[in-house]
């Protein structure tokens, strides 16, 4: 499986950071289910894993990666800081690294904007963590444009990524354009929960390509260069969601799916 990647700039050591457009989400996966799902994802070809301190599964994700035999440098790992850990950034990422069993993550996100105007201080700590080599890139999650602009204005450093709830039914070209104007990669979570997979437009397009609607949704993200992180604990579905490189949506099909966001 060959999935395109987007550049996120350079790490502190000067090496380029690239984020695969397709990742595997682990929200709500705990314990042995999380471990096995990540093993299945890596076996299916995923090379991008998304976790978070809040998910409580970093140890299982790390153990699955280690046991898989896939080299660490072939897998892009994201984790996130809970907003209530504002002021404890260094301790939090060090705990994440221990649980994951890695020396650094590829991307560290502020999971939600912290309360009481603490966002800039947290962001400054994130920049310091990147400079210290604990994470190769830094970004945010669930931020709006104004909140992103505040971080840039106060620190001169723009988040590499903003991970938000996204899917065809939430598509807004202005949102995508705003991120690109700022040089921020848009990453979407909950791609299936946000969209009716039984929508006639999706089922028609899926039938035309001999795939299921879920893969049409994922392919739509990829062709828009929007990072997407589907989640499943079913081995067959995990493998099926990864199988999106053998068909291409036409411009007309892309427009039909875009239109779901205007309904």
């Amino acid at each position: 499986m060959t999935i395109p990647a987007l550049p996120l700039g350079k790490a502190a050591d000067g090496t380029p950071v690239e984020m695969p457009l397709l990742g595997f989400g682990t929200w709500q996966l705990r314990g042995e289910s999380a471990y096995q799902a990540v093993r299945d994802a890596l076996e299916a070809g995923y090379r991008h894993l998304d976790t978070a301190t809040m998910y409580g599964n970093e140890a299982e994700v790390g153990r699955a990666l280690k046991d898989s035999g896939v080299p660490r440098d072939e897998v892009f790992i994201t984790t996130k800081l809970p907003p209530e850990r504002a002021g404890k950034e260094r301790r939090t990422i060090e705990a994440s690294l221990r649980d994951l069993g890695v020396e650094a993550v590829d991307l560290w996100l502020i999971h939600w904007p912290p309360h009481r105007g603490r966002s800039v201080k947290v962001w400054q700590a994130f920049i310091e963590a990147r400079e210290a080599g604990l994470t190769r890139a830094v970004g945010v999650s669930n931020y709006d444009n104004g909140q992103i602009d505040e971080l840039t204005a106060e620190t001169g450093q723009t988040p590499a990524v903003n991970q938000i709830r996204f899917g065809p039914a939430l598509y807004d070209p202005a949102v995508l354009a705003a991120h690109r104007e700022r040089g921020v990669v848009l990453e979407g979570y909950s791609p299936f929960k946000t969209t009716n997979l039984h929508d006639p437009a999706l089922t028609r397009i899926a039938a035309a390509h001999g795939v299921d609607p879920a893969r049409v949704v994922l392919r739509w993200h990829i062709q828009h260069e929007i990072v997407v992180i589907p989640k499943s604990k079913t081995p067959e579905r995990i493998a099926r969601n990864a199988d999106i490189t053998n068909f291409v949506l036409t411009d007309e099909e892309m427009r039909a799916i875009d239109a779901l966001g205007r309904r």
Side-chain angles (χ1 to χ4, degrees), residues 145-146 148-149 152 158-160 172-186:
N145 293 331
I148 290 173
D149 289 344
T152 303
T158 301
D172 182 344
V175 170
L176 185 55
H179 281 77
R180 290 186 172 158
E181 287 167 5
R182 290 163 173 78
V184 179
V185 168
L186 180 61

Side-chain angles (χ1 to χ4, degrees), residues 38-146:
V38 173
R39 286 294 305 271
D40 291 337
L42 292 168
E43 178 68 24
Y46 289 87
R47 292 298 182 265
H48 171 183
L49 304 174
D50 181 273
T51 184
T53 295
M54 189 181 294
Y55 299 169
N57 61 18
E58 290 173 311
E60 286 76 16
V61 171
R63 183 164 59 91
L65 175 58
K66 180 181 178 181
D67 292 351
S68 74
V70 177
R72 165 67 186 96
D73 61 3
E74 292 184 10
V75 181
F76 187 99
I77 300 175
T78 299
T79 194
K80 312 178 194 77
L81 174 95
E84 64 269 18
R85 297 289 295 178
K88 302 175 182 176
E89 296 85 4
R90 188 67 174 247
R91 275 183 284 169
T92 302
I93 193 169
E94 288 176 348
S96 291
L97 297 179
R98 284 195 300 271
D99 284 343
L100 287 163
V102 298
E103 294 182 357
V105 290
D106 298 285
L107 178 63
W108 194 30
L109 304 178
I110 306 175
H111 208 152
W112 293 87
H115 297 305
R116 296 182 296 279
R118 303 183 71 180
S119 202
V120 171
K121 286 188 176 181
V122 174
W123 185 238
Q124 289 170 332
F126 266 54
I127 295 168
E128 291 169 6
R130 184 190 62 196
E131 292 174 348
L134 301 176
T135 179
R136 301 180 70 229
V138 288
V140 295
S141 182
N142 301 299
Y143 272 57
D144 62 29
N145 293 331

